[in-house]
Amino acid sequence: MILERSILKEHVAPFLAAFCVITFLFAVNYLINLLDSVLSKGLPFGLLLEVMVLSLAWMLALSIPMSFLVASLMAFGRLSADGEITAMRSAGISPITLMRPALAVSALSAVLLVIFNNWVLPEANHRAGSLLASISRKKPQAFIAEGQLLKQFPGVQIWIDRIDDETGRLHGIQVWEIDNRKTPKVVLADSGWIEYVDAGATILLHLQSGWNHMRDEKDPGRYFRIRYEDQTLAVRNVDDSFRRSERERGDREMPVEEMMEIVSESAEREAKLREERFPVLWIDHERVMKFARAELPPAETAPGAAPDSGSAAPVAPAAPDSGSVAPAAPVAPDSGSAVAAAAPPAPVLDSAPAAKPLPVRISSRSWNRVRNAEISRQRSLRATANALGYEIRRQAQYSVEIHKKFSLPVACILFVLVGAPLGIVARSGGVGTGAVYSIVFFVIYWVGLTGGEHMADKLMVSPELAMWGPNVVLAVAGCYFTWRLTRDLPMTPRPVSRAVAALRRLFLKAKSALVRSPKRAAEGGR
């Protein structure tokens, strides 16, 4: 127990220092983005502090795993630099035994972090999001930003390409007036500026050099485009009061149980769509093909159609010409004869030419039926594809968040597994060594995690691979480093070490050459 307590004691100070520094960096970055939009609304400082406290939840979920990496690197690095690792190994204590206390604490922290991510973090994200949404409705002009679609104004949506920081002038303005309109009126302007009147309750948008695009509400077929040089749009009824309100929960504001229920319901809707729509779409396709053949008479009843193979059909007698003798017509029975004379059969002329099938004309009504049926089928097909795509993307989106709640806590254990061997080999407990290794590995992990999340949302990879892939890489690297450490092997294979040494020698030679060249030039000038 003395050894375990000593090792854990070495981790306390680096962990707390790394935790405070990383959380502070996250908070400063978040606060800078929040100050301009919140302080300009004249809200009390306590409200800003509440937003910051609620936002600390997601910062802790990220800073705790990274703090384990820094702590293990610096703690084992200091023990190695003081020769304590060498003394312990000479006493028969293996590196794995030395890593057990840190791994046990990281495993316990991972369990607690799972509980935190599942219950505390979603509620904090929801309250912070609802609070920011309420703040945005008070003086929404303070949230005007370039390159974003602004939807907080009543009945109007605004897009701004660029804002001049010095003059505050707006450039590349697009306005959609959607209030009480079937089709929105679109206003484009090269530049403009904003003026606040009625104590901020009304916003005047002064536009210059642009176009108005609109349709006639009574006759949608009529389209108008009107050029203007100066125009002013008024956005009224801007809410200038602060009211707290609730909003719907997003994927990052739900515990695992609710998200699994949503995924299950979405999977059921997807299966129902496939079961109900796919057979109907195939039936629609068959109906279209029947419509295409609607005006074609059957082959066996078509006039002049060629006989099918394997069936014999009488050939119509050819018209008599000058070189042939017409067949005798059947004689009608006399009224006085007892027995009617049988009519002789018409002779079959082998030399008669084969009759050509008559062309069939398809009516325009039939083609319209085919076209309308195919248009209807294509619309149904697109609607079904969009519905299926929505359900599949929804399942992927929530599945990513479910796996993320577990993959981030597990990274605490994996960072210790990676940091301990590297710290022992580094033989330096300095802040610089721990910072460099921590930044490299955490950047690799974070890039893999965020990149995997975007790829999973776009259905390029599965949510499981996206969230657990970086963890698998860390686990393989940690096991590899630990295996080489237990066998007293260098962390890098010999070919890699030789290549790195060669590059280092080449760099030193180039550096020395650059240093000597000015001296030689100075000596030559003398």
Side-chain angles (χ1 to χ4, degrees):
M1 292 295 295
I2 298 177
L3 178 62
E4 286 78 3
R5 285 199 300 267
S6 176
I7 293 175
L8 292 178
K9 190 176 180 180
E10 291 291 336
H11 283 77
V12 173
F15 179 86
L16 293 178
F19 176 77
C20 294
V21 170
I22 296 170
T23 306
F24 175 76
L25 293 177
F26 280 135
V28 168
N29 182 49
Y30 183 75
L31 190 61
I32 290 174
N33 296 328
L34 191 66
L35 280 178
D36 291 338
S37 56
V38 173
L39 291 184
S40 59
K41 294 177 177 291
L43 298 174
F45 179 76
L47 199 61
L48 177 62
L49 184 62
E50 183 180 355
V51 174
M52 284 299 304
V53 171
L54 291 173
S55 301
L56 282 176
W58 65 264
M59 301 179 194
L60 299 182
L62 297 177
S63 59
I64 289 177
M66 189 174 182
S67 300
F68 272 102
L69 177 60
V70 177
S72 60
L73 279 166
M74 296 181 65
F76 283 100
R78 198 205 65 79
L79 291 173
S80 179
D82 293 345
E84 297 182 28
I85 297 293
T86 304
M88 294 176 188
R89 297 187 67 177
S90 62
I93 302 175
S94 65
I96 297 179
T97 304
L98 299 176
M99 294 165 55
R100 283 177 184 173
L103 289 173
V105 173
S106 64
L108 178 62
S109 302
V111 174
L112 296 177
L113 197 56
V114 167
I115 299 174
F116 177 84
N117 289 348
N118 190 44
W119 295 108
V120 180
L121 180 61
E123 188 65 26
N125 287 341
H126 176 64
R127 292 188 179 183
S130 299
L131 188 57
L132 288 175
S134 301
I135 292 173
S136 67
R137 285 189 288 270
K138 175 181 170 58
K139 292 184 181 180
Q141 62 270 22
F143 277 85
I144 291 178
E146 60 184 27
Q148 298 179 11
L149 184 61
L150 309 176
K151 300 181 180 180
Q152 59 264 33
F153 301 104
V156 174
Q157 295 182 6
I158 302 175
W159 174 275
I160 300 171
D161 287 340
R162 183 174 60 87
I163 300 177
D164 193 331
D165 296 333
E166 296 181 357
T167 63
R169 195 172 185 83
L170 314 178
H171 299 273
I173 305 171
Q174 302 178 38
V175 181
W176 291 267
E177 297 184 19
I178 56 178
D179 191 16
N180 299 326
R181 289 178 177 269
K182 296 181 180 178
T183 56
K185 174 185 175 182
V186 182
V187 181
L188 307 179
D190 293 339
S191 61
W193 69 92
I194 290 179
E195 180 184 359
Y196 310 119
V197 296
D198 298 336
T202 301
I203 298 176
L204 297 181
L205 190 59
H206 300 280
L207 306 177
Q208 291 184 335
S209 183
W211 294 86
N212 290 324
H213 299 263
M214 67 190 77
R215 290 185 181 274
D216 191 345
E217 294 291 335
K218 298 181 180 179
D219 185 7
R222 300 181 63 188
Y223 174 78
F224 300 96
R225 188 178 68 166
I226 304 173
R227 175 73 178 178
Y228 68 88
E229 291 299 328
D230 293 282
Q231 181 175 253
T232 300
L233 297 180
V235 182
R236 296 180 175 86
N237 300 323
V238 177
D239 191 5
D240 192 47
S241 61
F242 174 75
R243 299 186 182 93
R244 290 180 181 267
S245 61
E246 292 291 326
R247 64 186 183 94
E248 294 184 0
R249 290 180 178 264
D251 53 352
R252 299 185 179 182
E253 303 170 3
M254 296 182 181
V256 173
E257 294 78 7
E258 294 184 13
M259 289 192 290
M260 291 183 66
E261 184 177 353
I262 291 177
V263 171
S264 177
E265 293 176 355
S266 180
E268 292 178 359
R269 287 193 295 268
E270 178 192 355
K272 187 176 180 180
L273 280 172
R274 294 181 183 274
E275 181 181 356
E276 293 180 353
R277 294 304 305 162
F278 279 20
V280 174
L281 291 175
W282 181 252
I283 293 174
D284 291 343
H285 175 71
E286 291 295 329
R287 186 180 296 113
V288 169
M289 299 306 296
K290 290 180 180 180
F291 284 163
R293 297 189 297 265
E295 296 294 326
L296 294 176
E300 63 271 16
T301 60
D308 296 335
S309 59
S311 63
V315 180
D321 52 17
S322 57
S324 61
V325 180
V331 180
D334 294 337
S335 58
S337 60
V339 179
V348 178
L349 303 178
D350 296 336
S351 60
K356 297 181 179 179
L358 298 177
V360 179
R361 298 184 62 184
I362 306 298
S363 66
S364 60
R365 180 182 300 176
S366 180
W367 284 122
N368 287 334
R369 292 172 66 190
V370 173
R371 182 176 62 85
N372 295 334
E374 182 62 18
I375 291 174
S376 176
R377 192 179 73 88
Q378 291 294 333
R379 289 176 179 172
S380 180
L381 184 62
R382 284 193 295 269
T384 302
N386 292 335
L388 286 175
Y390 171 77
E391 298 298 340
I392 294 173
R393 287 190 297 271
R394 185 177 175 84
Q395 296 172 40
Q397 176 185 357
Y398 283 90
S399 297
V400 164
E401 292 300 324
I402 291 174
H403 287 284
K404 187 194 295 185
K405 291 184 182 295
F406 297 96
S407 62
L408 276 175
V410 172
C412 296
I413 306 173
L414 301 179
F415 278 137
V416 172
L417 192 63
V418 170
L422 291 177
I424 293 174
V425 173
R427 296 183 180 274
S428 173
V431 178
T433 303
V436 169
Y437 280 122
S438 301
I439 291 174
V440 169
F441 276 94
F442 201 76
V443 164
I444 293 174
Y445 179 80
W446 186 248
V447 168
L449 193 68
T450 55
E453 182 177 359
H454 290 304
M455 294 175 68
D457 290 339
K458 295 180 180 179
L459 306 179
M460 299 175 64
V461 297
S462 65
E464 295 82 3
L465 178 61
M467 293 294 100
W468 291 101
N471 284 15
V472 172
V473 174
L474 280 181
V476 171
C479 293
Y480 175 76
F481 293 155
T482 304
W483 173 77
R484 296 190 72 87
L485 179 65
T486 55
R487 293 178 176 269
D488 291 330
L489 298 173
M491 288 292 105
T492 55
R494 184 170 298 177
V496 177
S497 300
R498 290 178 178 176
V500 173
L503 290 175
R504 184 178 181 183
R505 288 194 298 269
L506 183 62
F507 174 76
L508 293 176
K509 288 181 180 179
K511 183 179 179 181
S512 61
L514 291 175
V515 171
R516 287 195 300 267
S517 57
K519 294 182 179 179
R520 291 179 180 178
E523 292 175 357
R526 293 177 184 176

